[in-house]
Amino acid sequence: MMKKLSLVSLFTLLPASYYFAQTTVSAYLKDADGKAIERAEVEIKGRDNGVTADKIGYFQFVDVMPGHYQIVISKPNYETKVMEFDVEDNEKKKDLGIITLFPEPTAADQGLVIIDNSSSDDEEGGSQTSTVGLLQSSQDVFSKIASFDLGLYWFRPRGIDGRASENVLNGISMVKSDNGNVDFSNWGGLNEIVRYPEISANHSPSEYAFGGANGTIYKNTKASEYRKGFQAGYSATNRNYRQRISLRYTSGMNKNGWAFTIMGAKRWAEEGIQEGTFYDGYGTYLGIEKKINDNHIITFNAFASPYRRSVSSPNTQEVYDYRGIHYNSYWGWQNGEKRNERIRKGFQPIFQLQDFWKINGKSNLWSSVSYQLGKDKGSRLDWQNAQNPSPTYNKKLPSYYLNSITYSQLHNNTPADQYEMLQEGYLAAHENWENNNQDVTQINWNALYTANRNSADKSARYFLVNDVSDDKILNAATHYTYNINDTSRFFLNISYQNFKSENYREINDLLGADYALNIDPYADSNKRGSSGLYNVNDLETHKQIGDKLNYDYIVRRQEVKINPGLKFSKGPFDIFLSGLIAYSTSNREGLFQNYLYQNNSFGKSNDFNYLNGGIKGQLIYRLNGRNFFVYNGAYFSQATFLDDIFINPRANNYSVPNIKNAVISANDISYVISTPFIKLRAAGYIVDVKNDTNVQRFFADGLQISVSDGTSIQDKTASAFVTQTMSKVDKRNMGVELGIDVKVLPALSLQGAASWGDFRYTNNPEVYISSDVMATPYSDLGTAYIKNFKVGGTAQKAFSAGFSYNSPKYWRFGASWNYLDDNNLDPSAILRTDEFIQNNDSNTPFVNLDDSKVEHYMKQVQLPSAFFFNANVGKSWIFGKYYVLVSGSVNNILDNKRYITGGFEQIRSANGDVDFENDFSSKYPNFAPKYWYQQGRSYFISLQVRF
């Protein structure tokens, strides 16, 4: 740590002539609005001792000899500033005046706020998770590069997914109990409100929450913490949205102890970078703060961010080769306009009340209450007794005909007329996709309307539905701290959450039909002679727009967490211990009585109760004020999220077999150097996860499974919504990471980061499958042979090198080279079970499919490596009371469109003959993996004015 130099006169010890030859150098640090900046670190280059600015931003150096000097000023979330000055002979005092520090560029300035999972859809079998979070900004160079430069290309540090993080906003956890994710759209567009949180990286302990294995982010939004006056902004980009405008006003604290901050923002695009997408989102914030006295403050915060946006599809390589990486199968032309079937619409406002009480000189108590409500809707096409309307349905692609021709030639058992039809079908499909006949390559809305008009009973063959989540979330939390002495601090966090979510499907648009049937079209094959009613208590099967159909259920969870902690110092050691005791109870309540599960679909399920605990610790050894060793360790259990408890919650109350608390063990050790001229962190880590539960839901074509009705076993083909569950999943993520920032010149810094990881499954988990078309709760597929397969979803090797130049004239420029490698598709568990690989009739491997071929065909899909160049520039001015900032960035300058950020394996038909081999070996298999591609060159330009 830096030493503060006391202003002690030495003239009694030294000759007067020597004393008067030395100088005191001083200055005040302020931000662009004239507000004092405290606790900034200031060093004179070449001297061992530095100083820390006090509460009014004042610092000084004594005993400075005549000469030329450079000082370096640094503080988290502000740009590091380098100044030069001269000390003359016989100059007693050198007043540098007021030095202004400007905010450091954040993710908001670079446009990374738009990184979200909008490209994904649960019904397409995968998702991608943001790495940016609450627009975090950290002085740790590795975290900064991983979030901003590498994070743009979906790099996840240490391979840990977002569900292992904790995000706390005004004392309240924003992690949702149903899926463990944080819905950043709840404060979408409010970049200037939620930036600059406090961060505990990875599994290190935090004062504000126990957290998980992927860090804790904490942010208070006090109305008085923002700059008094107005701040206006405009941004232009070519990503998911095209333009953004914002306006914020803060009153400052008045003489009666009141402060107000209000902000509004809008982001929009008539069409985003992906074909057929649009964006229309608003963000509003109201903060009210009342200072009762010096020891007591009450705040009220409200976030309301309604949005409406469309999403784009993952696609097979065949589709991308025909139509390019911006192709989107979810839209088609209707009345001269592009219409997208997949539209997300949400409005879930948050209201929070927080009380800050300074009990005495040693104790503080912060208490928070929050309530959130509202709906999130996602639309999609549904159909009954009709063909899949997707233009990328495998039977509509050229590969389907070409593979069928190959099959016919191999077996020589296809009649000549059918063979000729296949040839004609291939030529027609190839021409349509090659020449982009959009009646074929996009959704043909006119054909869907025509099919409905021609329906004999006037029922909808095709119709749009919304899958709706209607949430009500009550949170209460308290944060107590007690300063035992100057080197010891105790804290205690207690939180309670009551989560309730009703999930149902409703009719969005009948597409010209009179009604839609609330009857399972597979009823006769599932249970011959049954009613097929999704709700046997509702005999009115003809449903209109706004009516519920197919499923309707509620999931609930109540959870209490107690998190005590202790921080203390002893000699060169700083020690931080944090503990957890947590209890949760969860259940499902069915509001429809499904015809297939009449005894276990309607009403409440059993309660699923979980008791969890854990401990985290941090040990810092200070070699000196600039060099540290840091150890972080954690061992804790974690309750299964609601979405992972129930194997098919849309239809019944059955839970996943063998479900247990996940157990996480994490350890890392780092060496840290922190000086004004070099910042470095080198770390090694191991993170083990045991007994995890992994649930994936997707739409499958041609999946053949064996199911039992209690008396017999029969093969069944599922072409519907499917749930795949893995239980008892073990994983290990291990590796090393390095971040370094070297100031080679007063205004020029070089930065670099390296991450070398190995993320693998360490056992063979159990696999279960369930579907809306199965008459049994689930089918046990046995063991998935995925041990030593790599965990997918992120590059396991990543490197970055760059520079930044910060001119004393208040302009900056930076660029970086980024390389990502060893990215893999997560292995499909179903494809690697005996049920899939073996012939169910003879219990032997497929014909001509020996062990070596099985190993070849089941090998993991590795995605290509890639490198990218990014650049950014910025300039700020002060014109009287106006502060103006212009910034811009260009990412993927070379327009690399070959990088696949993620994807998933589809379920292939396993029919026990040589077709599987032929399909696998073809250029475009019928059920090839689907991918998301990096979207190419992007830019972001921002103008900000404060007054």
Side-chain angles (χ1 to χ4, degrees):
M1 296 175 62
M2 287 191 171
K3 292 182 180 180
K4 286 188 177 180
L5 297 183
S6 59
L7 185 59
V8 179
S9 175
L10 301 179
F11 73 92
T12 58
L13 303 177
L14 299 174
S17 60
Y18 182 76
Y19 169 71
F20 286 114
Q22 300 177 70
T23 305
T24 297
V25 178
S26 63
Y28 288 89
L29 301 179
K30 295 187 178 182
D31 64 15
D33 309 308
K35 186 177 178 180
I37 298 176
E38 61 176 307
R39 299 197 62 78
E41 297 177 352
V42 188
E43 287 211 6
I44 295 181
K45 190 172 183 179
R47 292 177 54 145
D48 293 333
N49 295 325
V51 299
T52 302
D54 63 17
K55 291 185 177 180
I56 60 173
Y58 178 77
F59 72 87
Q60 67 176 13
F61 291 92
V62 297
D63 301 337
V64 181
M65 300 293 292
H68 181 76
Y69 295 94
Q70 292 179 347
I71 60 171
V72 181
I73 307 166
S74 58
K75 180 178 172 61
N77 302 327
Y78 288 87
E79 293 181 349
T80 298
K81 191 176 187 69
V82 179
M83 288 188 60
E84 298 185 7
F85 64 91
D86 293 301
V87 175
E88 306 294 340
D89 292 336
N90 301 319
E91 190 174 13
K92 296 181 180 180
K93 293 184 179 181
K94 183 73 174 184
D95 184 3
L96 301 179
I98 296 175
I99 300 174
T100 303
L101 299 185
F102 294 94
E104 184 178 46
T106 68
D109 301 316
Q110 299 182 40
L112 299 188
V113 64
I114 59 90
I115 296 182
D116 58 20
N117 62 352
S118 61
S119 296
S120 68
D121 190 284
D122 286 342
E123 308 228 353
E124 285 292 352
S127 64
Q128 295 183 287
T129 305
S130 167
T131 60
V132 176
L134 281 169
L135 301 182
Q136 59 210 55
S137 179
S138 170
Q139 286 299 98
D140 177 76
V141 62
F142 178 85
S143 299
K144 188 186 304 182
I145 293 173
S147 293
F148 301 155
D149 287 296
L150 298 173
L152 181 70
Y153 309 108
W154 301 100
F155 172 70
R156 291 203 310 258
R158 303 189 178 186
I160 309 296
D161 75 40
R163 303 203 309 173
S165 65
E166 180 74 83
N167 285 266
V168 181
L169 185 61
N170 296 314
I172 300 300
S173 173
M174 293 289 102
V175 177
K176 299 189 70 174
S177 292
D178 54 352
N179 56 27
N181 291 319
V182 176
D183 189 352
F184 297 107
S185 64
N186 291 154
W187 48 85
L190 302 174
N191 309 338
E192 294 83 356
I193 297 296
V194 298
R195 67 171 56 176
Y196 303 143
E198 296 184 45
I199 302 168
S200 296
N202 305 311
H203 59 270
S204 62
S206 165
E207 284 198 28
Y208 304 103
F210 185 80
N214 197 28
T216 300
I217 300 173
Y218 183 89
K219 174 64 179 176
N220 272 328
T221 58
K222 288 183 178 179
S224 64
E225 78 169 7
Y226 304 103
R227 181 199 60 84
K228 183 178 179 179
F230 288 91
Q231 176 174 303
Y234 172 78
S235 302
T237 182
N238 67 336
R239 298 191 183 183
N240 294 1
Y241 67 87
R242 297 287 184 171
Q243 300 181 80
R244 173 183 180 265
I245 56 172
S246 66
L247 181 64
R248 188 187 75 197
Y249 171 74
T250 296
S251 66
M253 188 68 72
N254 65 24
K255 63 181 180 180
N256 296 319
W258 288 95
F260 303 87
T261 292
I262 186 170
M263 181 176 175
K266 176 177 172 62
R267 296 177 293 175
W268 74 97
E270 292 185 7
E271 186 169 52
I273 195 168
Q274 297 297 99
E275 295 176 356
T277 61
F278 68 87
Y279 199 106
D280 187 19
Y282 295 84
T284 60
Y285 167 77
L286 172 64
I288 303 173
E289 182 176 344
K290 171 59 178 174
K291 182 178 180 181
I292 298 175
N293 53 50
D294 290 341
N295 297 323
H296 204 171
I297 294 174
I298 295 176
T299 69
F300 171 78
N301 295 282
F303 299 84
S305 299
Y307 70 88
R308 185 173 177 269
R309 59 180 173 82
S310 55
V311 301
S312 60
S313 62
N315 301 293
T316 63
Q317 189 59 52
E318 175 185 15
V319 172
Y320 285 123
D321 287 345
Y322 274 114
R323 302 304 334 138
I325 66 168
H326 293 146
Y327 170 79
N328 177 15
S329 68
Y330 292 156
W331 70 272
W333 292 102
Q334 183 179 352
N335 298 326
E337 296 184 358
K338 292 181 178 180
R339 182 179 184 180
N340 193 309
E341 61 150 318
R342 304 287 177 104
I343 295 175
R344 295 292 302 274
K345 181 180 180 181
F347 182 46
Q348 296 182 312
I350 304 170
F351 306 96
Q352 298 178 321
L353 190 64
Q354 198 169 16
D355 179 271
F356 298 86
W357 179 26
K358 184 179 181 180
I359 300 173
N360 52 47
K362 290 189 173 183
S363 301
N364 293 278
L365 181 67
W366 301 352
S367 301
S368 307
V369 178
S370 173
Y371 187 69
Q372 181 177 8
L373 73 166
K375 297 179 180 180
D376 183 271
K377 299 183 178 183
S379 70
R380 62 178 297 272
L381 275 169
D382 202 355
W383 59 95
Q384 289 195 356
N385 301 313
Q387 189 184 58
N388 188 333
S390 171
T392 57
Y393 177 49
N394 75 293
K395 293 184 179 181
K396 297 181 180 179
L397 295 174
S399 60
Y400 172 78
Y401 297 97
L402 192 60
N403 293 338
S404 297
I405 291 170
T406 301
Y407 175 87
S408 300
Q409 292 173 338
L410 179 66
H411 291 276
N412 195 28
N413 61 357
T414 302
D417 57 339
Q418 292 185 21
Y419 183 84
E420 185 177 346
M421 290 176 61
L422 290 174
Q423 290 277 14
E424 293 174 353
Y426 167 72
L427 293 174
H430 175 77
E431 182 178 356
N432 287 328
W433 280 92
E434 183 72 21
N435 297 320
N436 195 21
N437 178 359
Q438 294 185 337
D439 286 339
V440 175
T441 61
Q442 304 298 153
I443 292 175
N444 192 329
W445 290 102
N446 291 332
L448 305 187
Y449 276 86
T450 299
N452 284 348
R453 284 194 295 269
N454 294 335
S455 172
D457 57 2
K458 303 301 181 183
S459 68
R461 294 293 177 260
Y462 299 96
F463 51 102
L464 275 173
V465 296
N466 290 327
D467 290 312
V468 184
S469 296
D470 186 356
D471 297 342
K472 294 178 176 61
I473 310 171
L474 173 66
N475 282 282
T478 186
H479 172 69
Y480 172 77
T481 62
Y482 177 72
N483 296 321
I484 301 171
N485 53 46
D486 290 342
T487 60
S488 303
R489 178 184 179 91
F490 170 80
F491 66 86
L492 177 65
N493 299 305
I494 301 175
S495 64
Y496 167 77
Q497 182 177 91
N498 189 319
F499 177 89
K500 176 184 177 183
S501 179
E502 182 179 358
N503 298 268
Y504 58 88
R505 177 168 289 178
E506 66 180 12
I507 298 178
N508 176 304
D509 192 334
L510 290 170
L511 306 183
D514 290 348
Y515 60 89
L517 282 171
N518 193 27
I519 296 178
D520 186 357
Y522 297 96
D524 194 52
S525 60
N526 285 336
K527 192 174 182 181
R528 190 173 298 278
S530 65
S531 66
L533 295 175
Y534 288 117
N535 184 10
V536 299
N537 297 318
D538 182 8
L539 300 180
E540 178 51 63
T541 60
H542 293 193
K543 299 300 179 181
Q544 304 296 323
I545 293 175
D547 289 345
K548 297 177 181 178
L549 77 167
N550 193 255
Y551 68 91
D552 187 8
Y553 66 94
I554 296 171
V555 287
R556 299 183 179 88
R557 169 168 286 181
Q558 295 188 69
E559 185 168 33
V560 177
K561 293 182 178 179
I562 301 173
N563 168 219
L566 180 66
K567 299 176 71 173
F568 60 95
S569 298
K570 187 69 173 179
F573 294 97
D574 294 331
I575 301 170
F576 189 172
L577 298 174
S578 176
L580 172 69
I581 300 175
Y583 176 80
S584 66
T585 180
S586 308
N587 61 57
R588 174 193 182 272
E589 180 182 0
L591 303 180
F592 277 9
Q593 187 169 5
N594 190 290
Y595 78 103
L596 290 174
Y597 313 103
Q598 295 194 36
N599 296 325
N600 200 33
S601 58
F602 185 75
K604 288 187 178 181
S605 69
N606 296 328
D607 287 335
F608 293 84
N609 302 318
Y610 296 98
L611 180 64
N612 289 281
I615 187 168
K616 288 185 174 183
Q618 182 180 77
L619 176 65
I620 301 175
Y621 175 66
R622 290 174 272 113
L623 293 171
N624 50 47
R626 298 300 185 193
N627 295 266
F628 312 85
F629 283 104
V630 182
Y631 166 76
N632 291 293
Y635 184 85
F636 59 95
S637 60
Q638 180 173 291
T640 304
F641 296 110
L642 281 165
D643 280 359
D644 296 343
I645 292 177
F646 302 99
I647 194 166
N648 189 7
R650 292 182 174 184
N652 56 60
N653 287 333
Y654 289 104
S655 64
V656 175
N658 301 316
I659 194 168
K660 295 181 179 180
N661 289 330
V663 178
I664 295 93
S665 173
N667 295 273
D668 70 26
I669 188 166
S670 304
Y671 173 61
V672 179
I673 300 175
S674 179
T675 77
F677 308 104
I678 180 170
K679 299 183 186 298
L680 177 146
R681 180 171 67 85
Y685 61 88
I686 297 178
V687 181
D688 286 316
V689 179
K690 302 287 187 181
N691 296 324
D692 200 10
T693 300
N694 180 290
V695 176
Q696 292 180 305
R697 297 180 171 93
F698 48 85
F699 191 87
D701 284 315
L703 173 65
Q704 293 191 355
I705 53 178
S706 296
V707 298
S708 172
D709 59 8
T711 59
S712 62
I713 298 177
Q714 55 180 314
D715 290 336
K716 183 167 292 186
T717 299
S719 297
F721 192 71
V722 172
T723 301
Q724 170 193 283
T725 303
M726 290 193 295
S727 66
K728 300 181 181 178
V729 180
D730 295 347
K731 295 179 286 187
R732 166 169 284 187
N733 292 17
M734 61 187 297
V736 294
E737 54 193 24
L738 171 70
I740 185 169
D741 185 318
V742 179
K743 188 171 290 295
V744 295
L745 294 172
L748 177 65
S749 295
L750 303 180
Q751 297 97 20
S755 177
W756 188 281
D758 187 75
F759 318 142
R760 294 181 183 269
Y761 293 96
T762 56
N763 75 328
N764 293 319
E766 299 296 315
V767 182
Y768 306 89
I769 188 169
S770 177
S771 173
D772 294 343
V773 301
M774 291 171 57
T776 55
Y778 56 83
S779 179
D780 184 349
L781 300 186
T783 300
Y785 299 102
I786 63 171
K787 184 177 180 179
N788 290 324
F789 276 65
K790 295 191 175 184
V791 178
T794 184
Q796 302 200 14
K797 313 292 187 297
F799 306 91
S800 180
F803 72 90
S804 61
Y805 181 83
N806 288 278
S807 169
K809 302 296 184 180
Y810 303 115
W811 62 270
R812 58 177 173 80
F813 174 72
S816 66
W817 166 86
N818 307 279
Y819 176 80
L820 297 100
D821 194 8
D822 197 10
N823 193 3
N824 307 271
L825 290 190
D826 218 28
S828 169
I830 293 177
L831 296 184
R832 292 164 178 88
T833 60
D834 288 335
E835 180 78 18
F836 180 85
I837 296 172
Q838 295 202 342
N839 185 315
N840 296 319
D841 295 329
S842 62
N843 202 33
T844 60
F846 289 163
V847 177
N848 298 325
L849 199 59
D850 56 26
D851 289 344
S852 63
K853 288 185 177 180
V854 170
E855 183 176 352
H856 172 70
Y857 294 137
M858 294 298 109
K859 68 181 179 181
Q860 192 163 16
V861 178
Q862 184 168 4
L863 304 177
S865 60
F867 66 88
F868 307 92
F869 288 98
N870 302 336
N872 63 83
V873 65
K875 169 66 177 173
S876 59
W877 300 266
I878 295 180
F879 304 104
K881 66 177 182 178
Y882 291 91
Y883 167 69
V884 179
L885 171 65
V886 177
S887 62
S889 64
V890 180
N891 297 298
N892 191 7
I893 293 174
L894 300 182
D895 199 23
N896 183 345
K897 297 180 180 179
R898 299 182 302 276
Y899 184 62
I900 298 172
T901 60
F904 56 93
E905 292 182 307
Q906 294 194 84
I907 307 303
R908 300 186 186 94
S909 176
N911 55 15
D913 58 33
V914 76
D915 281 351
F916 176 76
E917 290 187 81
N918 291 332
D919 185 62
F920 183 93
S921 301
S922 66
K923 181 180 179 180
Y924 298 126
N926 285 338
F927 297 99
K930 287 191 174 183
Y931 303 117
W932 286 281
Y933 268 81
Q934 205 285 330
Q935 296 177 346
R937 184 186 300 114
S938 64
Y939 66 85
F940 187 87
I941 302 170
S942 175
L943 169 66
Q944 191 178 98
V945 180
R946 303 174 189 168
F947 55 95

